[in-house]
Amino acid sequence: MFQESELSGRSFRFGGYKATSQTIVWPILFLLSLNISSSGISDEPEARLILLRSSAAALIVAGLYFTVLGAIINASVRQLGKLRTWLIGILYATTELVRAVLIQVFAEASGLETNPQWGFRIVAALTTGIIVFALVSTVVNDSAIYRESYKELAIQRFRLRSVIEASLDNLVRARDQLIKTTREQLSLALKSTLSETEKLTPQFPLIIQNLFSVAEEVVRPLSHSLFENPLMLSANQLEAQSPRVPITTVIRKSSLAAPFRPGLLTVMAALLSLPSVFLDLRLMYIAQWTLALVFIYATNALARKFLAPHLSSIPLFIRVVLISIVYAVPAIFFVQVALNSDVVQESVISETILYGSLLGFVLGWLIASSAGMRTARIEMLVEISRINDELAWQNARIQSELWLDQKSLALTLHNDVQATLLAAALKLKASIDANPDSATDALPEVKDLISRSINFGSTATRDFTLASIIQRINDNWAGIITMRYTASAETSAQVENDSVAMGVLEDVLSEFQNNSLKHGRSSETTAILSSPQPGILQVAMTNNGERLTSETQNGLGSAFLKSVALDYKLENFTRGVKLTVWLPISLTATPSVSQEK
């Protein structure tokens, strides 16, 4: 299968991987076989049955020729390029040539008198073959690309819907698994300690030592690990189903994108009939031929100017009928003129009307559908891009919430669990020091503290204002490095009304402050908060420290940002380093008044 980018060139579009499809050859050969009156063979009633059999046989042989030669081309020249394009063009031209020649051969073999006019037959067959087959192939290849885009759009829509519907479930499962895993590790680490407390003569020094050991060697590293390694939620695995493209969608787009293209239709009609002009240079015929071309152009140009602007307000069925009439009427007139050439047997009126209307209908709608599918595909790519942005927002938002849970759990382990275990150890030690004989009386309280440590609960994220976050960061680094910030009242309100964004923002600012001092030796940092578009918080942070060097490496801060941010950019600044981070934020609306701290 050829890549979409390889099919983007207009000159190569008809040589795509669908160029030798059976969906191309048989409908075209059938269409071209309808007007048997143009074969140059006598149209006497007794000869028509033989002529129909000859046309059917020529159609089958030409179709088999197309299939075999197409398979050879596919096997030998799979890569799209000039060589394949030329070979496909030759295949298209010669397929119609085979059909046109064999009609004459089979009819003559059946005893009919033929008037082949070989010069006209050969040139007309080559021209018709390359134009009609190439047009249909272009549309078929465009259709394949359109279906791929339609499939991708459908999958992305499903993925977005699944992410939104399953985000809470995934988050809850991740929270539960995080707590479960941590509890299992604590339970395993404290198992021997609990067993020791159940003995009739427990070894109190061993219990105390184990409690201190678990607090320092298990709980502390586990807490640090949660801080340093943001968890990543795995994406849902979706079945890549291939949805069917509704035919009404194709027709609707084709009828509105560019249904009337007078220049292209006129050029195609001229190329299809040009051989008859070269072989019939009568002034009257040339004048009629020119008038027929003008009629095609004028009809489509007038329809484009006066009818096209109103098509969107016309019901689909009536719209299709009107467009088809615009295609068919000038085609009937044109085909009748073209068949009046001296090199063509006088045609039958009914067959000419049928053939002309079908030819105009098919060619017109093929051109319109190509434009419609390209227009629809462009719209789909825009929609896919929008959905991808929303998916990125949803994923970053979920990761932000998971990070806050992880951080909360780490703080719980560090502040509560570790403290509880140390308290249990110290209580037991104090009881032994006070009265070794009554130390057993302290065991129930110690076991209760151990149980509380294992069955810990998570703490809620504190609700800070933006100013209090900056103040706390500055208090932590008082006299060493100072952070200033600027944000509009609207942006401040958005952040402060979103606990998830507040929690993540606090860690982003704190991490930048820490790195500015640690790596850049800065004394001052600034943070400018804004919302460039709904749902996105932009945090532009700068410092006055040392600039980045080629030896700068990504650390824990980068892993954290990749987890919770939509995107981020680290670069050198006029006075130091600039870090710009884009975070997901919920939508709010409040009056905008700038404030600076």
Side-chain angles (χ1 to χ4, degrees):
M1 182 177 294
F2 298 107
Q3 295 298 318
E4 176 183 321
S5 59
E6 293 176 314
L7 291 173
S8 60
R10 180 176 295 272
S11 59
F12 287 155
R13 274 169 50 210
F14 73 84
Y17 75 97
K18 289 284 190 178
T20 58
S21 170
Q22 296 299 298
T23 59
I24 293 177
V25 58
W26 298 109
I28 294 178
L29 290 178
F30 179 79
L31 174 65
L32 296 176
S33 299
L34 288 177
N35 193 35
I36 59 175
S37 63
S38 64
S39 62
I41 302 174
S42 174
D43 281 329
E44 295 297 328
E46 62 271 12
R48 294 188 64 79
L49 182 59
I50 297 177
L51 184 56
L52 287 172
R53 288 201 302 263
S54 299
S55 296
L59 182 153
I60 294 173
V61 174
L64 295 176
Y65 166 84
F66 179 96
T67 302
V68 173
L69 191 56
I72 295 174
I73 293 175
N74 284 339
S76 56
V77 187
R78 296 186 60 83
Q79 185 65 36
L80 186 62
K82 290 184 178 180
L83 177 59
R84 178 181 172 87
T85 303
W86 278 104
L87 291 176
I88 293 295
I90 293 172
L91 171 65
Y92 289 165
T94 54
T95 297
E96 172 58 12
L97 178 62
V98 167
R99 189 194 71 85
V101 169
L102 288 180
I103 289 178
Q104 306 291 325
V105 173
F106 290 155
E108 186 174 351
S110 299
L112 293 181
E113 295 183 3
T114 64
N115 180 26
Q117 295 283 343
W118 288 116
F120 167 76
R121 300 295 165 198
I122 293 174
V123 176
L126 294 174
T127 304
T128 302
I130 187 64
I131 292 175
V132 177
F133 274 96
L135 175 61
V136 175
S137 179
T138 299
V139 173
V140 170
N141 279 289
D142 284 347
S143 176
I145 300 176
Y146 173 79
R147 284 195 300 272
E148 287 299 316
S149 298
Y150 188 86
K151 171 185 173 182
E152 182 180 356
L153 177 60
I155 291 176
Q156 288 298 84
R157 283 174 174 167
F158 176 66
R159 180 176 286 113
L160 176 60
R161 186 168 61 251
S162 299
V163 166
I164 294 175
E165 292 175 353
S167 59
L168 183 58
D169 293 337
N170 289 341
L171 189 58
V172 170
R173 283 197 296 269
R175 289 169 176 167
D176 293 343
Q177 185 61 40
L178 194 62
I179 294 175
K180 179 182 177 182
T181 302
T182 305
R183 285 176 176 168
E184 288 175 350
Q185 294 183 55
L186 277 176
S187 179
L188 183 63
L190 292 168
K191 184 177 181 180
S192 61
T193 304
L194 285 172
S195 298
E196 192 65 32
T197 62
E198 299 293 336
K199 295 179 180 179
L200 295 177
T201 56
Q203 300 182 37
F204 295 113
L206 180 60
I207 295 175
I208 295 172
Q209 180 184 350
N210 285 346
L211 289 173
F212 278 117
S213 177
V214 171
E216 293 296 324
E217 298 177 10
V218 177
V219 177
R220 182 186 293 273
L222 189 57
S223 173
H224 289 179
S225 176
L226 289 171
F227 264 121
E228 297 171 355
N229 299 289
L231 297 178
M232 297 293 290
L233 286 173
S234 58
N236 292 334
Q237 297 297 320
L238 302 177
E239 292 293 332
Q241 300 176 347
S242 300
R244 296 180 61 87
V245 181
I247 187 63
T248 54
T249 300
V250 178
I251 296 175
R252 185 180 297 108
K253 293 293 183 182
S254 301
S255 64
L256 295 176
F260 306 115
R261 302 171 72 179
L264 183 57
L265 279 170
T266 304
V267 169
M268 290 193 63
L271 292 175
L272 286 172
S273 59
L274 201 57
S276 65
V277 177
F278 287 146
L279 297 174
D280 186 355
L281 296 178
R282 291 176 302 141
L283 184 59
M284 179 59 69
Y285 176 70
I286 294 176
Q288 292 176 343
W289 178 78
T290 304
L291 181 61
L293 292 178
V294 171
F295 185 40
I296 292 177
Y297 184 90
T299 303
N300 282 270
L302 291 173
R304 183 171 65 179
K305 181 175 181 179
F306 296 106
L307 180 58
H310 306 288
L311 287 176
S312 59
S313 60
I314 299 176
L316 181 60
F317 177 77
I318 299 177
R319 187 194 315 164
V320 171
V321 172
L322 290 176
I323 295 174
S324 300
I325 291 173
V326 173
Y327 293 155
V329 171
I332 294 173
F333 175 69
F334 180 79
V335 170
Q336 182 61 51
V337 170
L339 295 180
N340 280 334
S341 172
D342 280 347
V343 297
V344 180
Q345 182 75 21
E346 185 175 351
S347 60
V348 178
I349 297 298
S350 59
E351 290 180 359
T352 301
I353 294 175
L354 173 63
Y355 183 69
S357 58
L358 278 177
L359 188 63
F361 176 87
V362 170
L363 294 182
W365 276 108
L366 283 174
I367 295 174
S369 62
S370 180
M373 285 185 291
R374 288 199 299 274
T375 301
R377 181 172 166 272
I378 292 173
E379 294 174 355
M380 287 179 187
L381 294 178
V382 173
E383 177 70 6
I384 289 171
S385 176
R386 186 195 66 77
I387 292 177
N388 286 339
D389 290 342
E390 190 167 349
L391 277 172
W393 191 97
Q394 292 287 348
N395 288 330
R397 182 71 176 187
I398 295 170
Q399 289 296 149
S400 297
E401 294 189 35
L402 181 59
W403 162 251
L404 292 183
D405 288 332
Q406 189 172 334
K407 173 187 171 184
S408 176
L409 178 57
L411 290 173
T412 300
L413 290 173
H414 187 272
N415 297 334
D416 297 341
V417 176
Q418 187 176 11
T420 301
L421 292 175
L422 291 176
L426 292 174
K427 283 179 179 295
L428 185 57
K429 186 176 184 302
S431 179
I432 293 173
D433 292 341
N435 185 359
D437 295 332
S438 63
T440 305
D441 297 336
L443 284 180
E445 185 178 1
V446 170
K447 287 192 288 185
D448 181 62
L449 290 173
I450 293 174
S451 177
R452 284 165 54 187
S453 297
I454 295 175
N455 298 292
F456 60 87
S458 59
T459 59
T461 304
R462 292 174 292 177
D463 187 15
F464 291 133
T465 64
L466 189 56
S468 67
I469 287 179
I470 301 298
Q471 184 62 49
R472 190 176 70 82
I473 293 174
N474 285 331
D475 289 344
N476 290 339
W477 301 97
I480 302 175
I481 183 172
T482 303
M483 173 174 284
R484 304 181 187 279
Y485 83 98
T486 301
S488 67
E490 180 182 3
T491 302
S492 296
Q494 280 186 300
V495 179
E496 291 170 0
N497 290 333
D498 188 343
S499 60
V500 175
M502 281 287 285
V504 173
L505 176 62
E506 178 184 359
D507 293 326
V508 169
L509 295 174
S510 180
E511 181 70 16
F512 182 74
Q513 187 86 331
N514 179 41
N515 287 335
S516 295
L517 179 63
K518 181 179 178 181
H519 301 296
R521 299 181 177 86
S522 306
S523 61
E524 182 179 302
T525 61
T526 63
I528 301 176
L529 282 67
S530 61
S531 182
Q533 62 187 82
I536 296 179
L537 173 66
Q538 177 178 296
V539 187
M541 297 161 283
T542 59
N543 62 36
N544 63 348
E546 298 178 0
R547 294 162 65 85
L548 298 172
T549 65
S550 57
E551 299 178 356
T552 302
Q553 296 180 348
N554 293 333
L556 296 176
S558 299
F560 167 62
L561 290 177
K562 288 179 181 177
S563 172
V564 301
L566 295 168
D567 197 6
Y568 70 94
K569 182 179 181 181
L570 182 63
E571 58 189 330
N572 283 317
F573 191 58
T574 306
R575 298 177 298 168
V577 173
K578 180 178 181 180
L579 173 64
T580 306
V581 180
W582 291 269
L583 300 172
I585 188 172
S586 62
L587 301 177
T588 58
T590 53
S592 177
V593 180
S594 179
Q595 62 179 5
E596 183 172 346
K597 300 291 183 182

